Amino acid sequence: MGILKNLLLQDIKMKHPKETHPSTKTVRWIQHPLINPEKIEARLYQQVLAANVIKKGNTMIVAPTALGKTIVAALVAAERIKKYPDSKILLLAPTKPLVVQHEETFRNFLKTTTSSLTGAIKLEERVKRWYDSQIICATPQTIESDIIAGRYSLKDVSLLIFDECHRGTGSYSYVFLANRYTQKAENPLILGLTASPGGEEDRIQQVCQNLFINEVVVKNEDDPDVKPYFNPIEVEWVKVDLKKEQLAIKSHLDTVLKNRLRGLKKLGVISSVHQVTKKDILRARGKVQNRMSRSVKPPRDCLLAISMLTAVFNVIHALELLETQGISNLDSYFQRMRQKKTKAAKGLFKDGNFRNAVHLTQKSHEKGVEHPKLEKLMEILKKAEKNNEQVIVFSQYRDTVNEIHNKCQSEGIKAVKFFGQANRETEKGLTQKEQKEIIKSFRMKTYQVLVSTSVAEEGIDIPSVDLVVLYEPVPSEIRMIQRRGRTGRTTKGRMIVLITKNTRDESFYYSSIHRERRMKRQLANGYDQPEKPLVADEEDVKVLDREKNTANDEKQLVVYIDHREARSGVTRELSNMEVNVKFTNLPVADYQISSQVAVERKSSKDFVSSLLDKRLYKQAQELVENFPRPVMILEGQDLYSSGLHPNAIRGALASLAVDFNLPIIPTRNPEDTAAMIHRLAVREADKSPQDVQVRTEKKPLTLKEQQLFIVESLPNVGPVTARKLLEEFKSVDGVFSASADDLKRVEGIGDKIAKSIREIIESDYLLSPDEFDQLQTSIVKGKDKPQKEYQLKKKQGNEDK
């Protein structure tokens, strides 16, 4: 516990007793050479946590919101800087607002230079801040991008802090940075902070393994050393009944659902028609699509099953909206479904029960029927208004956020809506600046109620509130804990959960409670930390050393990567393979390995979408025109799970291989793709070690291609017709000089198209009103007078006509 000797306690008499915890009579401050005086209150459990991190090494701290996990991180950071004065501290957080919040906190606590790094900061400034600062707070994607590009190194970082460390799974940037940090840092130490690592044992183990955590410390509100500082949160469930209009709609939708589930069971796709969830439907869909992918002529039952599964998914979602959100949301969903041209959507609208449900929904919406939750919510908010309480209302859907906000305005409640930065068809997302302004206004109590989507669950510096209301439960223990943590930070908190009886609301709520309890049991009982593999014997050591020496002797491989691929898992893996990746703008291909070889990478989803929007063949043509030996890598094992007919996909693959002579290499995942690109780079380095000439622009068009391009610009003229016109009239000039009758001699051109072509060629160019005004101004000023006076007279003459 050497750190406790350094974190001396200084007793100071209270000047404002009411502002401190009632059980204490004095305020005790941490006294440390690197901590600003009277900034961090001395709490024994925080000091013990910090001491354990220093003593035991890489640690994950699991503790509820407001117990001071950030303060523990600051205490550990102070000790690391004291021990390694020339080192840096790197704190990673998932969002920009949270990064800025940590920057302000550490600048307030510690006597050293502190900066923030996010993607919004220019490259040159980021590099400058890295070298000029000792504590860096940053988003992980920004650091990952800069590390891969070689702009700076993690070598001198003596403490790496992962905030919201439960995100350290899959391909999230935390995983890459933890791995790179343990490889490069001279004095590594990792600290993970979270309120909710997840209820699954496998998930907790995965996070620990990915972030190299060897110690998990759990603190909760019942611990004796924590209890004096913890503000209890009262949770209340408020249940409502569906209205008769909703019950009538539900009856029709239930019938639609049961009929289709029985059909799927008859086809052998599902085993039961009871309590079928969206996950069950997605799992069944995957099995059917795998069956289709193995057949040249997929059975008709497979195609029918896919359509029925899609319809079932739509109906389940409609029921969820009806039960948990309201009539308005459901009506909007039905309107969007009408615009779909899929067999599933058309089949549903032919179903009498479904049409009745749609009709009743529209009728109820016109009558202004609202979900009973909305009425109950208004009662809660009006009561909170009388008590002068600050409230956050969480809803999963932006449509519901808008509905609640509109209702608040009509009821005279001071409310503001808060959501993410993504745009929608009818509504733009909030910019980061707008989000900050809203939070600031809420903090200043300009608004009493903040109505938010899940974006406010974590990563946003929202002040503590008196009451949190969940418009609907969420089946995730992590999200439930994050939402609950928005209250009870400084005083006793309250949370109200609105639940519709006998609906999905109840199952979602109990699911989250069960998961949270399981998580606490798992953390309390501990877990088996996976052992890291050890080298078996001396012979293995020799082999590893020989491979390492060989790799060091080789010249480092260089791969040029288009900026659009900078955040891909492939780039990350190439960097882990010690490939020198260089980002540039590649007009053709995603990766250029040599002057001869370039790679276009297509995930299964991207391959299908580029086939549907006709980008695929254009990209293939550009590849073969610009590189002697191009390659297309097709990544993923779910190529046939898109719903597109397997024969359409096979036809596209055949065309690429035969018509374009383009090799296609399948890979399983980004890691496999990176390994393949690495192997291609090794082969090219052996063959042609000379410097690579990077293609920064597409290969110039040939004379023939330019002629086709010009003729194709004529109305209703495609590539085939353009070729026929040039073959008939020998040149572009011949095409443009041909009369309408001459043009009609070409197959595919009738009277209407011929007249439109002649009209385009013969018509005078007319200036727009804005161009006309600019032209008058420039003539008055004497610029380009002769030519523009002529154009102006011509314009005026045309207007007179």
Side-chain angles (χ1 to χ4, degrees):
M1 297 291 179
I3 188 174
L4 291 178
K5 296 180 181 178
N6 295 320
L7 302 177
L8 301 176
L9 307 181
Q10 181 181 16
D11 292 346
I12 299 178
K13 293 182 179 180
M14 291 187 304
K15 295 181 180 179
H16 304 286
K18 292 182 180 179
E19 295 179 359
T20 63
H21 196 277
S23 64
T24 60
K25 296 182 179 179
T26 59
V27 176
R28 300 191 300 167
W29 305 102
I30 292 292
Q31 187 177 358
H32 188 280
L34 293 175
I35 296 177
N36 289 316
E38 300 185 25
K39 289 297 182 182
I40 299 180
E41 180 185 353
R43 297 183 181 182
L44 184 60
Y45 74 90
Q46 292 175 343
Q47 295 170 271
V48 172
L49 285 172
N52 282 334
V53 176
I54 297 293
K55 180 180 179 181
K56 297 183 178 181
N58 298 352
T59 302
M60 176 197 295
I61 296 177
V62 182
T65 304
L67 284 190
K69 296 186 290 293
T70 306
I71 290 177
V72 175
L75 297 178
V76 177
E79 274 299 296
R80 295 297 280 180
I81 295 175
K82 182 181 178 183
K83 185 174 182 179
Y84 305 104
D86 296 328
S87 69
K88 296 181 182 295
I89 308 297
L90 176 58
L91 188 154
L92 300 174
T95 65
K96 295 176 185 177
L98 194 52
V99 166
V100 174
Q101 177 186 341
H102 283 310
E103 178 191 17
E104 294 171 353
T105 299
F106 272 74
R107 187 176 287 134
N108 181 48
F109 285 163
L110 301 183
K111 300 175 182 177
T112 186
T113 52
T114 304
S115 293
S116 62
L117 300 182
T118 68
I121 299 170
K122 292 182 179 180
L123 173 59
E124 296 79 9
E125 177 63 19
R126 289 207 307 268
V127 175
K128 183 177 183 299
R129 289 188 185 187
W130 176 272
Y131 287 107
D132 291 348
S133 305
Q134 192 159 30
I135 296 179
I136 297 104
C137 305
T139 51
Q141 296 85 357
T142 303
I143 299 296
E144 178 186 7
S145 175
D146 289 346
I147 291 296
I148 290 174
R151 297 177 184 123
Y152 43 77
S153 169
L154 299 176
K155 177 183 176 182
D156 297 327
V157 176
S158 62
L159 175 63
L160 178 55
I161 304 167
F162 294 103
D163 194 19
E164 310 291 357
C165 67
H166 56 268
R167 290 173 172 256
T169 60
S171 60
Y172 194 65
S173 297
Y174 279 3
V175 180
F176 168 80
L177 291 172
N179 184 60
R180 181 58 60 91
Y181 178 64
T182 55
Q183 291 177 4
K184 301 296 183 182
E186 292 182 345
N187 302 291
L189 179 63
I190 292 174
L191 173 59
L193 308 175
T194 182
S196 47
E200 301 290 339
E201 180 180 359
D202 291 343
R203 180 184 175 89
I204 297 172
Q205 287 191 359
Q206 185 182 16
V207 172
C208 291
Q209 190 169 14
N210 290 343
L211 303 186
F212 299 89
I213 300 294
N214 51 42
E215 186 76 16
V216 177
V217 181
V218 183
K219 302 298 291 183
N220 59 59
E221 55 270 24
D222 297 324
D223 292 342
D225 54 350
V226 170
K227 207 164 188 176
Y229 303 98
F230 184 78
N231 297 304
I233 299 173
E234 177 187 338
V235 179
E236 180 184 356
W237 311 345
V238 176
K239 295 190 175 184
V240 299
D241 293 301
L242 288 174
K243 293 182 177 180
K244 61 179 182 179
E245 292 89 350
Q246 292 171 296
L247 290 172
I249 298 168
K250 186 176 185 300
S251 176
H252 288 295
L253 290 176
D254 283 339
T255 302
V256 175
L257 181 61
K258 287 178 183 177
N259 289 340
R260 279 160 177 76
L261 288 176
R262 289 192 190 103
L264 289 170
K265 185 179 179 182
K266 189 175 180 181
L267 291 172
V269 177
I270 59 176
S271 58
S272 173
V273 298
H274 302 292
Q275 296 181 338
V276 178
T277 65
K278 288 182 179 179
K279 285 186 178 180
D280 297 328
I281 297 303
L282 292 173
R283 197 177 296 115
R285 181 186 174 93
K287 291 180 180 178
V288 175
Q289 287 170 335
N290 285 337
R291 169 72 179 85
M292 292 173 63
S293 68
R294 297 193 299 269
S295 174
V296 177
K297 291 184 178 180
R300 186 176 180 278
D301 285 351
C302 287
L303 299 174
L304 178 61
I306 287 292
S307 179
M308 291 177 68
L309 286 166
T310 304
V312 166
F313 192 91
N314 290 336
V315 176
I316 290 176
H317 185 65
L319 281 166
E320 183 179 323
L321 292 177
L322 174 68
E323 294 175 353
T324 69
Q325 304 302 309
I327 296 293
S328 177
N329 277 24
L330 181 60
D331 186 59
S332 298
Y333 180 63
F334 283 152
Q335 297 304 321
R336 291 194 295 271
M337 279 190 65
R338 282 187 186 277
Q339 299 173 4
K340 294 182 179 179
K341 298 180 180 180
T342 62
K343 291 182 180 179
K346 290 178 180 179
L348 284 173
F349 279 98
K350 289 179 181 178
D351 188 306
N353 279 295
F354 189 80
R355 287 201 308 272
N356 287 336
V358 173
H359 174 71
L360 290 175
T361 301
Q362 185 178 2
K363 190 175 178 181
S364 299
H365 183 55
E366 291 171 353
K367 287 170 58 180
V369 176
E370 298 171 341
H371 199 289
K373 283 185 186 179
L374 194 58
E375 299 170 6
K376 182 61 68 174
L377 177 62
M378 291 304 112
E379 294 178 15
I380 294 169
L381 295 182
K382 286 179 181 178
K383 187 176 179 180
E385 186 178 30
K386 290 181 180 178
N387 297 331
N388 197 30
E389 293 177 327
Q390 292 288 103
V391 185
I392 294 182
V393 179
F394 281 107
S395 177
Q396 189 172 348
Y397 298 95
R398 195 187 291 188
D399 286 342
T400 306
V401 167
N402 288 328
E403 186 177 9
I404 295 171
H405 179 253
N406 293 336
K407 186 68 174 177
C408 287
Q409 288 186 318
S410 65
E411 296 288 335
I413 298 172
K414 295 179 181 178
V416 62
K417 56 184 178 179
F418 187 80
F419 44 82
Q421 299 179 23
N423 294 327
R424 292 178 47 178
E425 292 181 5
T426 58
E427 185 177 33
K428 287 186 176 181
L430 295 174
T431 64
Q432 188 176 342
K433 182 179 179 181
E434 290 171 332
Q435 288 179 339
K436 286 182 178 179
E437 290 173 353
I438 290 172
I439 297 303
K440 182 179 179 182
S441 299
F442 184 61
R443 183 183 285 108
M444 299 298 292
K445 298 190 176 182
T446 305
Y447 301 102
Q448 189 175 2
V449 178
L450 184 77
V451 187
S452 176
T453 59
S454 58
V455 72
E457 289 175 358
E458 67 174 21
I460 302 290
D461 183 19
I462 293 180
S464 178
V465 296
D466 305 294
L467 172 64
V468 169
V469 181
L470 306 190
Y471 195 76
E472 71 282 306
V474 287
S476 164
E477 76 283 8
I478 294 177
R479 295 179 62 191
M480 186 67 83
I481 291 170
Q482 295 287 357
R483 291 184 176 191
R484 190 171 63 234
R486 291 303 178 181
T487 186
R489 294 191 177 190
T490 55
T491 59
K492 182 179 178 180
R494 284 199 306 140
M495 184 173 81
I496 295 177
V497 185
L498 298 175
I499 299 176
T500 311
K501 294 179 184 176
N502 302 317
T503 67
R504 287 160 176 76
D505 272 351
E506 290 184 335
S507 59
F508 285 172
Y509 183 71
Y510 291 122
S511 174
S512 67
I513 295 297
H514 172 71
R515 287 169 178 265
E516 185 176 348
R517 287 173 180 168
R518 185 171 59 186
M519 179 189 75
K520 289 182 177 180
R521 285 197 305 269
Q522 181 62 43
L523 291 170
N525 296 334
Y527 63 95
D528 297 327
Q529 175 67 21
E531 293 184 2
K532 294 180 174 60
L534 299 176
V535 178
D537 52 37
E538 187 176 348
E539 185 61 31
D540 288 336
V541 174
K542 292 178 181 179
V543 171
L544 290 172
D545 288 341
R546 187 162 58 247
E547 290 180 352
K548 184 175 180 181
N549 292 334
T550 303
N552 290 335
D553 291 340
E554 292 178 354
K555 183 180 179 182
Q556 188 178 26
L557 300 173
V558 179
V559 174
Y560 292 87
I561 303 177
D562 187 76
H563 284 295
R564 291 166 297 181
E565 288 284 306
R567 296 284 175 87
S568 73
V570 177
T571 303
R572 181 185 302 135
E573 289 302 316
L574 286 172
S575 178
N576 285 335
M577 295 174 184
E578 302 294 336
V579 174
N580 182 7
V581 298
K582 294 187 177 182
F583 296 108
T584 185
N585 291 318
L586 295 177
V588 178
D590 297 317
Y591 303 84
Q592 185 173 345
I593 295 171
S594 68
S595 300
Q596 304 286 313
V597 178
V599 175
E600 177 73 21
R601 169 179 170 255
K602 290 283 185 188
S603 65
S604 299
K605 183 179 178 181
D606 185 33
F607 183 87
V608 173
S609 64
S610 60
L611 175 61
L612 292 173
D613 62 20
K614 302 178 181 179
R615 286 183 293 119
L616 183 63
Y617 298 126
K618 181 181 178 183
Q619 291 173 331
Q621 185 67 37
E622 290 175 344
L623 275 173
V624 298
E625 287 177 351
N626 285 272
F627 293 96
R629 298 199 303 275
V631 173
M632 178 174 287
I633 288 182
L634 188 52
E635 179 186 297
Q637 297 174 298
D638 56 346
L639 182 60
Y640 296 96
S641 63
S642 64
L644 193 64
H645 198 288
N647 285 344
I649 295 174
R650 295 185 185 111
L653 293 172
S655 177
L656 292 174
V658 177
D659 298 337
F660 293 91
N661 198 26
L662 181 62
I664 302 171
I665 302 177
T667 60
R668 294 166 296 176
N669 48 44
E671 292 79 9
D672 195 15
T673 300
M676 178 56 66
I677 292 175
H678 180 269
R679 180 47 48 189
L680 290 171
V682 170
R683 283 172 54 88
E684 287 303 297
D686 292 340
K687 290 180 180 179
S688 52
Q690 68 270 18
D691 293 336
V692 178
Q693 182 180 357
V694 182
R695 293 283 173 85
T696 57
E697 57 184 22
K698 295 179 183 178
K699 188 178 178 180
L701 296 174
T702 63
L703 176 61
K704 182 178 179 181
E705 290 169 337
Q706 293 180 61
Q707 290 172 322
L708 285 168
F709 179 80
I710 293 171
V711 177
E712 282 180 40
S713 66
L714 294 171
N716 301 302
V717 175
V720 176
T721 306
R723 189 174 292 107
K724 289 179 180 178
L725 284 167
L726 286 168
E727 289 172 354
E728 174 70 25
F729 300 108
K730 308 305 179 186
S731 67
V732 174
D733 181 63
V735 174
F736 279 50
S737 301
S739 65
D741 291 335
D742 293 335
L743 291 171
K744 286 190 288 186
R745 295 203 311 266
V746 177
E747 182 184 357
I749 295 184
D751 187 61
K752 187 176 180 180
I753 295 178
K755 287 181 178 179
S756 65
I757 291 175
R758 292 310 311 165
E759 183 180 3
I760 287 290
I761 295 172
E762 295 171 359
S763 297
D764 291 332
Y765 173 68
L766 300 181
L767 299 178
S768 67
D770 289 340
E771 291 173 325
F772 183 72
D773 292 338
Q774 292 173 5
L775 198 58
Q776 286 181 312
T777 303
S778 64
I779 290 174
V780 169
K781 293 181 178 180
K783 297 178 180 178
D784 300 328
K785 187 172 182 180
Q787 182 181 358
K788 291 191 175 181
E789 274 187 342
Y790 166 75
Q791 292 180 353
L792 185 58
K793 289 177 181 178
K794 190 172 183 180
K795 165 75 176 177
Q796 290 171 332
N798 288 329
E799 288 185 343
D800 291 342
K801 292 179 182 178

